[in-house]
Amino acid sequence: MRFVRALFISFSMYSRIPVPQFAWREEDMKYALCFFPWVGAVIGGLVCLWERAAEACGAGELCRVLVGASIPILVTGGIHADGFMDTMDAFRSFQTRERKLEIMKDPHIGTFSVLALAFCGAVYLSAFSEIRDEALLKILCAGFVLARCLSGIGAVTFRPAREDGLLFAFADSADKRNVRYVLSAQTLLCMGYMMRQSFWAGCIVPAAAFGTFAYYGFRCRKELGG
């Protein structure tokens, strides 16, 4: 029952998927991050289903790409886009560490965050439009899982930049060692799945993910202190 509650907490926090609501207790949150990649699995599954539906219905290329790229935002409610924009505003402010953390808490958006999101969206849409091979589509969908595995590992491994907020609450309440083990196992399974679809693409995608993970881990510690 504890793991079921942890699953519901994870989906309640990181998605818009309706799940039973209840008071979050610390013991229920210990393993919530273990189920974070499962949100990515739902997104990947829906993207695959949409691709098949679009092909069966003869949908145009623009429709296929825009709807497919919108699925992650529809499932998550844009929570990750919001965090990305806050972070970009902080990074591009060139202020002190304390001021950057204040900017990240500010609900308003700045010019740099809008430009960063527009650039990221343009790159994502361009890449999505080029994926027509079945193996590459499956690797893309598995990427939603891999990204959340690495994000969860970072949350329970790196020192937090500030000791408040929901991310800190999740990381602080987590059984860090066991969560790392579970997320690492899911990471390996995800990488194996990718390489089974296409060896070279299955190597390149995780390598890019780990490179991005290392870069932003270093940059966040340098500029934000955690």
Side-chain angles (χ1 to χ4, degrees):
M1 186 63 183
R2 178 173 58 181
F3 293 107
V4 174
R5 292 170 71 91
L7 170 66
F8 289 156
I9 289 174
S10 187
F11 271 73
S12 179
M13 174 62 192
Y14 295 109
S15 80
R16 298 291 299 276
I17 299 172
V19 294
Q21 299 297 310
F22 49 86
W24 293 3
R25 298 178 300 183
E26 187 171 346
E27 58 266 29
D28 297 327
M29 296 177 65
K30 284 185 177 181
Y31 303 103
L33 284 172
C34 294
F35 299 99
F36 183 27
W38 293 27
V39 178
V42 172
I43 294 172
L46 290 175
V47 171
C48 277
L49 287 175
W50 163 246
E51 285 290 309
R52 286 176 171 78
E55 182 179 359
C57 296
E61 183 69 5
L62 184 62
C63 175
R64 181 186 74 85
V65 171
L66 291 182
V67 173
S70 299
I71 289 174
I73 297 177
L74 294 174
V75 173
T76 64
I79 184 173
H80 304 302
D82 176 66
F84 172 77
M85 295 179 75
D86 290 338
T87 304
M88 290 301 102
D89 269 338
F91 280 167
R92 299 299 297 174
S93 69
F94 301 105
Q95 299 294 319
T96 63
R97 178 179 297 176
E98 292 73 21
R99 178 56 183 151
K100 288 177 181 177
L101 292 174
E102 291 177 4
I103 290 173
M104 291 182 67
K105 293 178 66 176
D106 191 332
H108 300 91
I109 61 173
T111 303
F112 292 119
S113 65
V114 175
L115 292 175
L117 186 65
F119 174 77
C120 182
V123 172
Y124 180 67
L125 289 172
S126 299
F128 196 96
S129 68
E130 294 299 319
I131 296 177
R132 300 180 179 87
D133 182 80
E134 181 73 12
L136 294 182
L137 172 63
K138 291 180 178 179
I139 290 175
L140 167 70
C141 293
F144 295 113
V145 177
L146 180 61
R148 285 160 175 80
C149 287
L150 295 179
S151 179
I153 291 172
V156 297
T157 301
F158 299 148
R159 185 168 69 88
R162 61 172 187 257
E163 297 185 354
D164 60 5
L166 280 174
L167 178 60
F168 175 76
F170 269 74
D172 189 55
S173 301
D175 183 341
K176 294 182 173 58
R177 185 181 66 175
N178 287 327
V179 168
R180 271 195 295 268
Y181 287 155
V182 172
L183 290 177
S184 296
Q186 292 184 64
T187 299
L188 293 175
L189 289 172
C190 188
M191 292 170 60
Y193 174 80
M194 288 180 170
M195 286 187 283
R196 184 177 179 181
Q197 302 305 316
S198 170
F199 179 77
W200 288 112
C203 291
I204 292 171
V205 170
F210 276 100
T212 304
F213 177 75
Y215 169 74
Y216 278 105
F218 170 79
R219 187 172 182 183
C220 287
R221 287 196 301 273
K222 180 181 178 182
E223 297 195 29
L224 305 175

